Amino acid sequence: QNQKTKEQIESLLQNGKHKELRDRLCCRLTFGTAGLRSAMGAGFCYINDLTVIQSTQGIYKYLERCFSDFKQRGFVVGYDTRGQVTSNCSSKKLAKLTAAVLLAKDVPVYFFSTYVPTPFVPYAVQQLKAVAGVMITASHNRKEDNGYKVYWENGAQITSPHDKEIIKCIEECVEPWSGSWNENLVDTSLLRQDPLKKICDCYMEDLKKICYYRELNVQTNLKFVHTSFHGVGHDYVQLAFKAFGFQPPIPVPEQKDPDPDFSTVKCPNPEEGESVLELSLRLAEKENAKVVVATDPDADRLAVAEQQNGCWKVFTGNELAALFGWWMFSCWKENCSEDADVKNVYMLATTVSSKILRAIALKEGFHFEETLPGFKWIGSRVKDLLDNGKEVLFAFEESIGFMCGTSVLDKDGVSAAVVIAEMAAYLEGKNLTLAQKLTEIYETYGYHISKTSYFLCYEPPTIKRIFEKLRNFDGPQSYPSSCGIYNILHVRDITTGYDSSQPNKKSVLPVSKSSQMITFTFQNGCVATLRTSGTEPKIKYYAEMCALPEQSDRSVLEEELQKLIGALIENFLEPDKNGLIWRSA
């Protein structure tokens, strides 16, 4: 019933574009590391009115099977500010259609009356005891994309087997039901409630549980600049700073309000560093603000930059995690009861992220655990730990996703922004910058120097060929034993479940057949992973040198890492031969 997407298909048909029609109509969306995500437009593998209706019908069918009290407990729906005129597609409209499918089947729906940060949906699912929730967002993806993120009753993103079962249910009911197109139901149905005020108030109240130096925050002269990257973050970060006793951060005026075209940045991903933070850094210089915090468009991730002697340091996700890990543990130690047991304390990270938390845990006596890439694995594991009486202080993924505390079982840029502000204010009182503290952490626990980047590859067969070659390197079913001059100690292949370091040669982490991921542990202490992105056409590489505290020559470690990455690209990815596009500087 969407004229714009209908016209797109008709036009392709009239112009004989059969290959593109096949590409659009002959495959379905599947759940990746962040739910369903694709370009907006016509076709079954795109995000549009119809695919969102079909997905919600499948979810309804599955939830009805799983929960006898589904129609008492209800469902949460949130959305960001994305939109595309050419396909008459916006996050709000897709959220209304999601709600319509459920309301037409007499399911109570908690539908936010305005855009919210992604973390508000999992938070609301837990607070309101709903059976599940959906957030319509494509996070930091390019402006053409949108997505559909599903949260289970535990407040974590769905993992296997739920995703597989939902896909089956979607395929069983692809024809829209009679009430499914009625997007006005959210305005008329008595089963629709707006949870905005309650959830926002509760969230800000819960946030205070991880505020440890309120008096300092009230008094500090430190100034902060915040950019919300044309997304949802502005109002919520302002409120979070207020909850911690801070003066509000200075917003970047050109990026403060939602804009689905993200018109001041070439891509809306704060992870891209200084090039996309230009406006906020210039404003900070003008205002004499020492720290810039940037939330991505759906406010679930955080980038941080700090001014040092006239230039800026943009921290990587791994560096920020070292700071957060140190901070959350120090605050726990300072404030825990006398009988608190450090062995009951946990921190988590995805397996492609820095091992710095492992080093801190070994020295301080708490537990550290790894999960597969994607916060859905962290959220589920954290819930298990909490249910077993454990205390989880912090979890992260290197792509600037942080979970401070456990009010939200997903990454949260709003809470992370205000925690880093409190940390900066505290350190300023000790005459230290964030960067100086980071060096202290590395000197105490050992340098962890990492580099993450990617190549673009739009040809799935090429990606498959690259990884299959690694699995049959020196002959059938034999992985490489070296990479250039660097000897390989162990290989772990999450796609096939192989791990040469285990006695039974089986990976401890669960197998993930739907994506490619191989990790190499080198003799020189470097760990490197090659994997495909779950949300974009990328081959990513992650490499880290983990040194002991006594190995403190940073420049030697950096040089060694750089050489190893060069060998990895040249020998394993072969960009020229495979037509890979280098990440633009």
Side-chain angles (χ1 to χ4, degrees):
Q1 290 185 24
N2 179 332
Q3 282 312 114
K4 290 270 170 78
T5 47
K6 200 172 172 180
E7 281 161 18
Q8 285 174 20
I9 296 293
E10 284 167 352
S11 154
L12 288 169
L13 189 59
Q14 278 158 14
N15 295 321
K17 299 276 178 71
H18 295 156
K19 184 192 179 301
E20 193 178 337
L21 278 169
R22 263 197 302 278
D23 291 346
R24 284 173 178 255
L25 296 169
C26 295
C27 65
R28 277 197 182 284
L29 292 167
T30 54
F31 284 96
T33 46
L36 306 172
R37 201 176 282 183
S38 186
M40 291 178 272
F44 296 120
C45 57
Y46 280 59
I47 295 281
N48 54 55
D49 299 13
L50 181 62
T51 53
V52 162
I53 286 172
Q54 291 174 330
S55 302
T56 311
Q57 290 183 170
I59 282 171
Y60 168 80
K61 206 166 176 185
Y62 185 58
L63 292 174
E64 198 184 28
R65 196 189 298 161
C66 294
F67 297 100
S68 56
D69 53 358
F70 182 19
K71 291 186 177 177
Q72 284 75 55
R73 289 168 60 188
F75 191 96
V76 177
V77 179
Y79 51 93
D80 68 10
T81 54
R82 286 176 174 261
Q84 187 182 64
V85 177
T86 52
S87 55
N88 185 18
C89 207
S90 72
S91 294
K92 185 166 190 176
K93 182 187 179 192
L94 298 174
K96 284 179 154 192
L97 289 167
T98 303
V101 171
L102 299 163
L103 290 168
K105 290 283 182 191
D106 299 326
V107 175
V109 174
Y110 297 100
F111 182 89
F112 284 99
S113 54
T114 187
Y115 54 82
V116 288
T118 290
F120 272 37
V121 170
Y123 181 75
V125 168
Q126 284 196 291
Q127 286 293 316
L128 303 166
K129 299 187 169 46
V131 298
V134 158
M135 175 73 187
I136 306 289
T137 179
S139 191
H140 56 280
N141 273 40
R142 60 194 194 127
K143 67 178 181 186
E144 289 82 6
D145 291 355
N146 216 326
Y148 186 97
K149 233 176 185 178
V150 186
Y151 293 90
W152 201 242
E153 64 167 343
N154 61 4
Q157 279 182 63
I158 57 164
T159 54
S160 210
H162 299 311
D163 50 3
K164 310 270 185 303
E165 293 300 318
I166 289 170
I167 292 286
K168 272 190 214 160
C169 289
I170 292 170
E171 284 167 359
E172 285 165 19
C173 42
V174 288
E175 183 78 25
W177 302 327
S178 59
S180 294
W181 285 103
N182 184 3
E183 65 182 273
N184 299 322
L185 261 182
V186 291
D187 304 316
T188 57
S189 172
L190 297 174
L191 286 169
R192 178 263 167 133
Q193 288 181 54
D194 176 11
L196 183 67
K197 187 179 181 326
K198 179 183 177 176
I199 291 306
C200 198
D201 291 350
C202 289
Y203 174 92
M204 295 303 161
E205 202 48 48
D206 265 348
L207 205 48
K208 293 175 185 171
K209 292 176 187 166
I210 49 172
C211 174
Y212 297 100
Y213 295 95
R214 197 184 163 81
E215 296 307 307
L216 262 181
N217 302 344
V218 172
Q219 289 157 16
T220 188
N221 293 320
L222 207 56
K223 283 160 85 175
F224 301 92
V225 159
H226 170 238
T227 171
S228 46
F229 263 74
H230 299 294
V232 305
H234 172 76
D235 296 342
Y236 303 101
V237 170
Q238 295 274 318
L239 287 169
F241 269 67
K242 190 176 165 191
F244 265 49
F246 283 108
Q247 288 298 308
I250 303 157
V252 177
E254 303 92 327
Q255 297 175 334
K256 170 174 90 72
D257 298 319
D259 167 12
D261 288 324
F262 305 113
S263 41
T264 66
V265 287
K266 72 173 198 301
C267 76
N269 184 356
E271 219 183 332
E272 296 290 339
E274 210 161 324
S275 62
V276 290
L277 294 170
E278 183 72 26
L279 286 173
S280 43
L281 303 182
R282 297 301 78 84
L283 178 66
E285 285 161 8
K286 196 176 109 194
E287 295 283 354
N288 197 24
K290 288 283 181 281
V291 178
V292 167
V293 289
T295 46
D296 71 340
D298 67 329
D300 67 346
R301 303 186 323 146
L302 179 79
V304 179
E306 182 180 55
Q307 204 171 2
Q308 302 166 317
N309 326 319
C311 63
W312 286 92
K313 169 159 177 70
V314 181
F315 294 91
T316 67
N318 286 330
E319 290 172 333
L320 289 172
L323 287 163
F324 279 123
W326 157 76
W327 177 255
M328 296 304 284
F329 184 71
S330 303
C331 293
W332 176 84
K333 216 158 70 169
E334 201 81 348
N335 294 281
C336 66
S337 57
E338 276 178 31
D339 58 348
D341 183 2
V342 73
K343 288 189 170 52
N344 208 38
V345 169
Y346 282 72
M347 289 194 195
L348 290 87
T350 60
T351 185
V352 293
S353 303
S354 172
K355 312 288 180 235
I356 184 65
L357 296 184
R358 182 179 66 188
I360 299 174
L362 282 169
K363 201 161 181 168
E364 301 295 347
F366 62 87
H367 288 276
F368 167 69
E369 280 193 12
E370 279 191 337
T371 71
L372 287 175
F375 239 89
K376 60 183 185 181
W377 300 105
I378 287 181
S380 301
R381 180 61 188 144
V382 168
K383 185 72 173 89
D384 290 348
L385 289 166
L386 295 176
D387 289 347
N388 286 300
K390 308 298 181 195
E391 196 170 352
V392 181
L393 304 183
F394 174 65
F396 87 104
E397 60 183 3
E398 55 70 43
S399 52
I400 59 174
F402 310 104
M403 187 192 95
C404 301
T406 52
S407 292
V408 175
L409 299 185
D410 201 6
K411 53 184 181 277
D412 182 354
V414 179
S415 58
V418 73
V419 169
I420 208 88
E422 179 168 78
M423 192 193 306
Y426 169 87
L427 289 170
E428 199 210 21
K430 302 264 185 266
N431 229 353
L432 283 170
T433 63
L434 292 166
Q436 286 165 334
K437 184 67 212 181
L438 180 64
T439 301
E440 275 188 15
I441 293 166
Y442 284 147
E443 281 169 357
T444 308
Y445 301 106
Y447 272 97
H448 284 61
I449 315 281
S450 57
K451 179 153 168 48
T452 300
S453 194
Y454 59 81
F455 288 91
L456 289 164
C457 182
Y458 295 96
E459 300 296 329
T462 303
I463 293 177
K464 195 169 188 317
R465 191 174 67 241
I466 289 169
F467 282 90
E468 282 309 315
K469 185 181 171 186
L470 293 172
R471 295 186 180 105
N472 304 281
F473 202 74
D474 297 317
Q477 294 180 337
S478 77
Y479 292 86
S481 55
S482 64
C483 177
I485 59 167
Y486 299 99
N487 286 334
I488 293 170
L489 270 184
H490 300 300
V491 179
R492 182 186 65 193
D493 187 342
I494 291 292
T495 314
T496 63
Y498 172 78
D499 187 343
S500 68
S501 72
Q502 295 299 320
N504 64 357
K505 305 290 184 233
K506 283 190 165 57
S507 163
V508 178
L509 288 175
V511 177
S512 181
K513 286 188 183 129
S514 58
S515 58
Q516 301 280 1
M517 179 168 144
I518 303 178
T519 300
F520 303 95
T521 303
F522 291 88
Q523 216 154 9
N524 65 359
C526 179
V527 179
T529 296
L530 300 175
R531 71 178 274 260
T532 47
S533 166
T535 55
E536 294 161 292
K538 291 175 178 176
I539 299 178
K540 293 184 169 184
Y541 63 84
Y542 310 77
E544 180 171 53
M545 289 294 293
C546 307
L548 297 165
E550 54 270 21
Q551 285 174 274
S552 60
D553 192 336
R554 186 180 178 129
S555 57
V556 172
L557 294 166
E558 279 177 345
E559 195 183 331
E560 179 85 340
L561 181 68
Q562 211 43 55
K563 284 183 189 161
L564 192 140
I565 288 170
L568 196 74
I569 291 169
E570 187 187 333
N571 295 286
F572 291 176
L573 292 176
E574 304 176 284
D576 295 342
K577 180 181 154 190
N578 290 310
L580 306 181
I581 303 161
W582 292 71
R583 173 188 179 173
S584 57

